[in-house]
Structures are given as C-alpha cells and as structure tokens.
Amino acid sequence: MALTMSDVDRFEASRPRLEAIAYRLLGSASEAEDAVQETYLRWQAADIGRIEVPEAWLTKVLTNLCLNQLTSARARRETYVGQWLPEPLLAGDPMLGPADTAEQRESVSLAVLVLLERLSPNERAVYVLREAFDYPHREIAGILDISEAASQQIFHRAKKHVADGKVRTEIDEAAARRVIDEFLAAATSGRTEPLVRMLTEDAVSIGDGGGKVPARAKAFEGALAVARFMRGLFKPSKAKRALVGGSPEVFAATANGDPAVVAVLDGRVIGVMCLEVTPEGIAAFRNQVNPDKLERATRRWAAGDHGEPLTSM
C-alpha cells in the first residue's frame, strides 16, 4: 500500500528518536541508520490504518530488528581484529538523542556503550529504553513481548551489570576544552611525569583499528604505561607521517559527551580519542581509528567551523 505524505511525515518525525535508540543498542551509527531504514520499509509495507499507536509500533519494529542485529554482532565481535569500540559521535549529532538528564547523557558515553556489551540483547534493550528514553515498564513489556514484572527485573539486573564503580564527571564544553589543553600540553612536553599526574592509577588506553589501521591489540594499563604511550603517540616522527600520509592536525572537541581529541588529515577525521574524566583524574582513553567508524564523524566535521588546530602530529 502506498504511503500518503502524512504517513511519510509521521515516520520522519520519529526518525531522530529511532536513530538515537538504534545507536545506543548497536554502538554503530551506520548500523543504526540501516536499522531505521529497514523499519521504514516495514512501515511502507504495513496496513497503517490498522496501527493504533504508530510511535509504539515503529519502536517495537526497530527494537526487534536491533535485537536480531545484536545476536549476529556478538558472533562478529569474536572474530573482530583487536579491541572493539563503539563508533564515536561528535557534539551536536542528532543521533546522540535526548540529553536532558544525567542518565540520558551518561547512557551515550563511550564508557557506558562499552559496558552495555556485557548485557544480553534483551537486557540492553530494556536498559536503553528505560534509562535513556524513560519508557515505562508497561510499554517496554509490550515492545519486547515480556511481562511488566520481567521488564523491571531485567532493568535492575542490567543496571547492576553496567555499574562499574567509577564516578564519571560531567563537564561542560569550556571545562572539556581545559582538560584537552592540559592533556595536550602534558602529552607534547616530552616528559612522562606531567601525564602521570593527570591520570588515575588504574588508567587504561584502548585503541580500535579494526585491522585496517595499526592499533595495539591489548589495552595499555596503569598510569605509567598509559603516560608513556601518550608521550610517544604525540611525538611527531617521519615514520608516523609516512604511515598516515601526512601530518594530522589535532583539535579539541566533544564526542559522546566526553572531552575528545580529534585528528584530521586533509579534511578527513582519522582519529577520535575520548577521555573519560573522573574526580580522581583521567581514567580511560578510547581511541577510534578504524576508518569505517569515522565516516559519519568526517561528514559532521566538514559541516562545522572548528578554529585553528591545537597542534600537529
């Protein structure tokens, strides 16, 4: 049955919310876009006149598509080359979704998206729908075809799994810029001690190259090991320039609500490093350099004015 303009408009009005749900469920912007497009095809083929609550119908279709995708994604993760990290989203990206509450902002941080990998598909869906989008358990039960009591139990179990004992510090854009400025000053100083002072004792650095860009398969652990790695990473060299094809410019930004360092070469984003900041210091660096996971960031970057680079590599 052909869609009316009203039907198309109704779907398009739901698209930002659907994309934000799918991104949190899948950790991938490109896969989220695919899931939303498949939802649109299902909408196009449906007997819309018989759908009582279109928004609920669309959410249910999308969520179940994502659950199927998560099942196959687990198998792909087992053969993924090196560390796996979510696809970062730069500030202002509509796929980041609602950010009115601390819970909503935290739910899209890379730290939480990584922790969500611990959950079963159903646990992840309940957690995302409840924590990030404030769906009542009654509606979640209808979406997942479970009881309301089961939804509540799954949510409490998921929250327990996601909690990792760290207290993430929420910082505004100005504070994020100060953190990046201080970090880059320490990283380019040629000395390890200033970096160590900025880090927690159990700090980690994780890189995702997806087998396409060199990235250490095992995380660096401990303040000293991470500091030494960062000192070397930001030390310019001919070998590095030959590897990436030039001298990347380094900018301060925000990604997934966290301070971020963005490396750009000839207008293309080649790396996004998110810093997880706690009251004790920087607890984690998550460095995405897999080019497949930086295409959306490159498009977003090209659409904005980011001022002068802070340094080059």
Side-chain angles (χ1 to χ4, degrees):
M1 184 180 294
L3 295 181
T4 66
M5 284 304 299
S6 176
D7 296 332
V8 174
D9 290 344
R10 182 173 290 173
F11 182 88
E12 290 305 322
S14 296
R15 184 184 290 273
R17 177 178 56 85
L18 295 174
E19 288 190 342
I21 291 172
Y23 172 70
R24 283 169 168 81
L25 287 176
L26 301 172
S28 165
S30 59
E31 291 180 4
E33 289 173 339
D34 290 344
V36 172
Q37 184 59 27
E38 180 61 30
T39 302
Y40 175 76
L41 295 177
R42 303 283 180 95
W43 174 250
Q44 193 175 39
D47 185 353
I48 294 175
R50 301 183 64 180
I51 298 174
E52 295 182 4
V53 185
E55 289 73 16
W57 187 93
L58 291 169
T59 304
K60 181 168 184 171
V61 170
L62 174 82
T63 301
N64 283 284
L65 286 169
C66 289
L67 290 179
N68 292 337
Q69 182 77 2
L70 282 171
T71 301
S72 61
R74 290 196 167 204
R76 292 200 308 275
R77 299 278 197 277
E78 292 176 2
T79 59
Y80 194 81
V81 178
Q83 300 280 338
W84 180 91
L85 289 174
E87 182 175 345
L89 298 180
L90 299 178
D93 193 314
M95 198 175 279
L96 289 168
D100 298 326
T101 67
E103 291 79 11
Q104 289 173 335
R105 292 188 291 273
E106 187 174 40
S107 73
V108 80
S109 70
L110 288 193
V112 168
L113 291 178
V114 168
L115 290 172
L116 290 181
E117 292 292 303
R118 299 178 180 180
L119 307 183
S120 69
N122 256 23
E123 287 174 335
R124 188 162 182 163
V126 171
Y127 181 87
V128 166
L129 292 172
R130 180 63 183 161
E131 190 81 345
F133 295 89
D134 203 28
Y135 276 79
H137 284 291
R138 175 178 51 80
E139 291 186 26
I140 296 173
I143 290 169
L144 297 177
D145 293 323
I146 57 177
S147 70
E148 187 171 346
S151 176
Q152 293 171 338
Q153 291 171 357
I154 291 171
F155 177 68
H156 291 307
R157 187 166 66 242
K159 284 203 74 170
K160 185 177 181 181
H161 286 323
V162 170
D164 68 347
K166 288 190 175 68
V167 179
R168 178 171 170 265
T169 300
E170 280 204 271
I171 54 180
D172 59 24
E173 188 173 345
R177 176 58 187 265
R178 289 194 295 271
V179 169
I180 295 300
D181 285 344
E182 185 180 351
F183 164 68
L184 287 177
T188 57
S189 69
R191 297 185 298 124
T192 303
E193 293 78 10
L195 280 165
V196 170
R197 288 196 294 271
M198 294 190 68
L199 309 179
T200 61
E201 290 185 6
D202 59 349
V204 297
S205 176
I206 305 167
D208 179 348
K212 300 187 175 185
V213 172
R216 181 181 166 93
K218 185 179 180 182
F220 289 94
E221 299 180 354
L224 184 57
V226 172
R228 286 172 173 168
F229 168 67
M230 291 298 165
R231 183 189 64 189
L233 181 65
F234 286 93
K235 183 178 181 180
S237 72
K238 289 183 179 179
K240 291 178 189 172
R241 289 193 288 269
L243 182 65
V244 300
S247 298
E249 296 178 324
V250 176
F251 295 83
T254 304
N256 293 72
D258 288 323
V261 176
V262 178
V264 181
L265 181 64
D266 298 329
R268 178 171 53 90
V269 175
I270 65 169
V272 176
M273 177 188 289
C274 292
L275 282 62
E276 181 183 347
V277 180
T278 71
E280 291 74 36
I282 301 172
F285 297 87
R286 296 181 176 89
N287 191 17
Q288 184 58 259
V289 292
N290 182 345
D292 293 343
K293 297 183 181 182
L294 295 172
E295 293 178 359
R296 186 179 179 95
T298 293
R299 295 196 300 270
R300 294 286 305 175
W301 190 263
D305 180 11
H306 309 284
E308 293 298 315
L310 301 181
T311 187
S312 60
M313 298 173 68

